[in-house]
Amino acid sequence: MKELIGTGVALITPFTSNFEVDVEGLKRVVQYQIDNGIEYLVVLGTTGESVTLSKQEKQLVIDTVVETNAGKLPLVLGIGGNNTAAVLEEFKSTNLDAFAAVLSVSPMYNKPTQEGIYQHFAAIANSSSKPIILYNVPGRTSSNMEPRTVARLANDFDNIIAIKEAKGDLVQAMEMIHQTPDDFLVISGDDMIALPMVLAGGAGVISVIGEGFPEQFSNMIRLGLQRDVDAAYKIHYDMAPCINYIFAEGNPAGIKSVFKSKDICGDTVRLPLVGVGEQLRKDIEAFVLSQS
């Protein structure tokens, strides 16, 4: 899966001021990624506010991204949840023809054991026609996929080909890189440690900040993969203040504020999320201006 090496971005779902899906705004967001060097796009992930979209809205988002992308970049679709049977049904009922892989989050809220996590993804792997990217994000799921569980899944199922590792723990990421097969991709899900993970042997990042600054962030990751460390870290430290900004009051409120500052789309989010506060908005606007 060499097409998933480098920088992928977790696409936002823009909304109009009356909370409807902003189709034209989404088209502009997708085109912005295509025009600025991103390697692949992730549709309907956490950043896309997928949990507040109806089935019809999800299909609208998929259709808009597929049409706008027009085969230019590989696409990854988010399908996951904490009801294994429902996730399997979604796999069965979703047309995956346009997608290179599926990103599936570890079950949230239930707090399964490591064996439960293994069995959940085993069931998905046995049912999926597409390669699977595991997604470990303990800050949202309240359970951690341990390196031994990831290695077990990677060794037992040929179609489990990668993990988006978003615990924010570089030591755990290094253990995953070390314990999994050489062709298994350990992808950063944490923008602040994306570069160190790449330098430790990771395959790249599925980024939030990269969506707002695709040229800079994708160049940083490419430099990291080429082991041009000094040049890569220069970009990292340039981007670091805004990485802090976009997560300070929740994702995707922060990155949507970046897009509004760039006049690409609005910054509306759906409850229970709310937009960023006035001071953070000013900080983000100032950073965007400094990069123009």
Side-chain angles (χ1 to χ4, degrees), residues 73-135:
L73 300 178
L75 301 178
V76 174
L77 181 64
I79 301 178
N82 61 347
N83 179 342
T84 306
V87 173
L88 296 181
E89 181 57 35
E90 188 171 355
F91 267 84
K92 185 188 301 184
S93 62
T94 302
N95 183 348
L96 299 175
D97 290 348
F99 295 92
V102 172
L103 176 70
S104 194
V105 68
S106 187
M108 70 295 293
Y109 188 72
N110 310 56
K111 298 182 73 172
T113 63
Q114 295 301 300
E115 183 62 24
I117 293 171
Y118 175 88
Q119 293 297 341
H120 172 82
F121 283 113
I124 289 174
N126 284 325
S127 301
S128 177
S129 62
K130 292 289 182 174
I132 303 298
I133 305 171
L134 309 172
Y135 181 15

Side-chain angles (χ1 to χ4, degrees), residues 79-197:
I79 301 178
N82 61 347
N83 179 342
T84 306
V87 173
L88 296 181
E89 181 57 35
E90 188 171 355
F91 267 84
K92 185 188 301 184
S93 62
T94 302
N95 183 348
L96 299 175
D97 290 348
F99 295 92
V102 172
L103 176 70
S104 194
V105 68
S106 187
M108 70 295 293
Y109 188 72
N110 310 56
K111 298 182 73 172
T113 63
Q114 295 301 300
E115 183 62 24
I117 293 171
Y118 175 88
Q119 293 297 341
H120 172 82
F121 283 113
I124 289 174
N126 284 325
S127 301
S128 177
S129 62
K130 292 289 182 174
I132 303 298
I133 305 171
L134 309 172
Y135 181 15
N136 184 42
V137 57
R140 291 185 180 272
T141 65
S142 295
S143 64
N144 179 43
M145 291 183 68
E146 296 176 4
R148 61 186 175 88
T149 303
V150 175
R152 185 181 171 199
L153 286 164
N155 282 299
D156 289 354
F157 299 96
D158 290 341
N159 61 341
I160 295 181
I161 52 91
I163 184 168
K164 178 184 177 184
E165 169 53 25
K167 187 172 185 281
D169 182 339
L170 187 56
V171 173
Q172 173 162 295
M174 292 170 69
E175 290 175 353
M176 287 181 183
I177 292 166
H178 179 64
Q179 293 180 25
T180 53
D182 289 345
D183 60 352
F184 185 82
L185 307 180
V186 179
I187 300 167
S188 177
D190 185 304
D191 286 335
M192 194 61 85
I193 65 168
L195 179 57
M197 279 183 63

Side-chain angles (χ1 to χ4, degrees), residues 208-284:
V208 178
I209 192 70
E211 183 175 10
F213 301 92
E215 182 178 5
Q216 297 97 314
F217 209 74
S218 61
N219 281 341
M220 181 194 79
I221 295 299
R222 281 190 285 270
L223 288 166
L225 290 166
Q226 296 162 9
R227 296 299 187 265
D228 192 343
V229 178
D230 291 343
Y233 265 114
K234 183 181 186 307
I235 300 173
H236 168 86
Y237 286 116
D238 285 345
M239 287 286 102
C242 201
I243 294 174
N244 286 327
Y245 291 155
I246 65 168
F247 294 107
E249 294 181 11
N251 181 43
I255 193 63
K256 282 191 168 183
S257 183
V258 170
F259 277 115
K260 184 174 183 180
S261 296
K262 288 174 173 274
D263 293 321
I264 294 173
C265 67
D267 61 354
T268 302
V269 292
R270 282 182 173 174
L271 287 171
L273 301 181
V274 296
V276 301
E278 184 65 17
Q279 184 56 56
L280 183 55
R281 181 187 63 78
K282 290 179 180 178
D283 291 339
I284 289 172

